[in-house]
């Protein structure tokens, strides 16, 4: 979260932009973002067990270890230079000027602001779901993480299926020019499903609606 996540997001999108063409980027981003589903799907039952086994303080240490390991692997195996870097050898000053001009053009495009707004409102819903919804479900619906058990992984497995499926669909010829339509439909479906999840009165119903989200 915070500073660390801010450094990662830009580097990840730049890496995919450099090594995948426009048609393949949807699939590449979909595969990358499956981590958002696979991680919580594995963590939900594991963390529930580990809190009872080692306590919540030690849990922070155990959760940090995979991150350190992955950071070391990325440092060793990620390419140091990109195809675009190799193609531009006119000097650092020219490179800095070109980067500044490209950034200015990006901010001047209406599509950049639309993408910004879409991701902004997505994150409001996403982080509200992550932080506020568990408290709401526990206090109002009396559905807790302990009661969910392995059921807590089901929505994230649904997210994994959606990311892989629609990441592939976005690369097909029929939808390359219609990706905004996929995004809009996904946001609408997620909003309706999340609203239905708030009315759930049982763990199975909650897992079903969150899987649709």
């Amino acid at each position: 979260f915070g500073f660390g996540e801010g450094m990662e997001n830009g580097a990840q999108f730049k890496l995919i932009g450099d090594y995948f063409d426009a048609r393949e980027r949807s699939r590449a981003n979909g595969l990358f973002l499956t981590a958002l589903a696979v991680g919580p799907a594995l963590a939900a039952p594991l963390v529930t067990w580990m809190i009872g086994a080692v306590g919540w303080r030690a849990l922070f240490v155990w959760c940090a270890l995979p991150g350190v390991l992955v950071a070391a692997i990325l440092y060793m195996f990620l390419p140091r230079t990109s195809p675009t870097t190799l193609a531009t050898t006119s000097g650092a000053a020219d490179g800095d000027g070109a980067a500044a001009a490209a950034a200015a053009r990006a901010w001047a495009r209406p599509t950049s602001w639309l993408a910004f707004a879409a991701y902004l409102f997505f994150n409001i819903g996403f982080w509200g779901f992550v932080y506020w919804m568990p408290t709401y479900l526990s206090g109002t619906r009396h559905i807790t993480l302990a009661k969910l058990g392995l059921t807590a992984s089901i929505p994230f497995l649904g997210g994994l299926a959606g990311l892989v499926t629609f990441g592939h669909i976005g690369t097909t010829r029929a939808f390359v020019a219609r990706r905004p339509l996929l995004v809009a439909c996904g946001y609408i479906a997620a909003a309706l499903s999340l609203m239905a999840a708030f009315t759930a009165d049982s763990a199975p119903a909650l897992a079903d609606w969150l899987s649709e989200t």
Side-chain angles (χ1 to χ4, degrees), residues 11 45 62 77-78 87 129:
W62 283 101
F77 293 104
L78 276 182
F129 156 65

Side-chain angles (χ1 to χ4, degrees), residues 18-19 79-90:
D18 285 347
Y19 284 91
R80 294 293 188 269
T81 56
S82 68
T84 54
T85 301
L86 293 174
T88 55
T89 57
S90 57

Side-chain angles (χ1 to χ4, degrees), residues 1 5 119 122-134:
F1 301 120
E5 186 178 9
Y119 199 55
F122 161 79
N123 275 289
I124 291 174
F126 178 77
W127 291 110
F129 156 65
V130 170
Y131 285 114
W132 177 73
M133 194 172 185

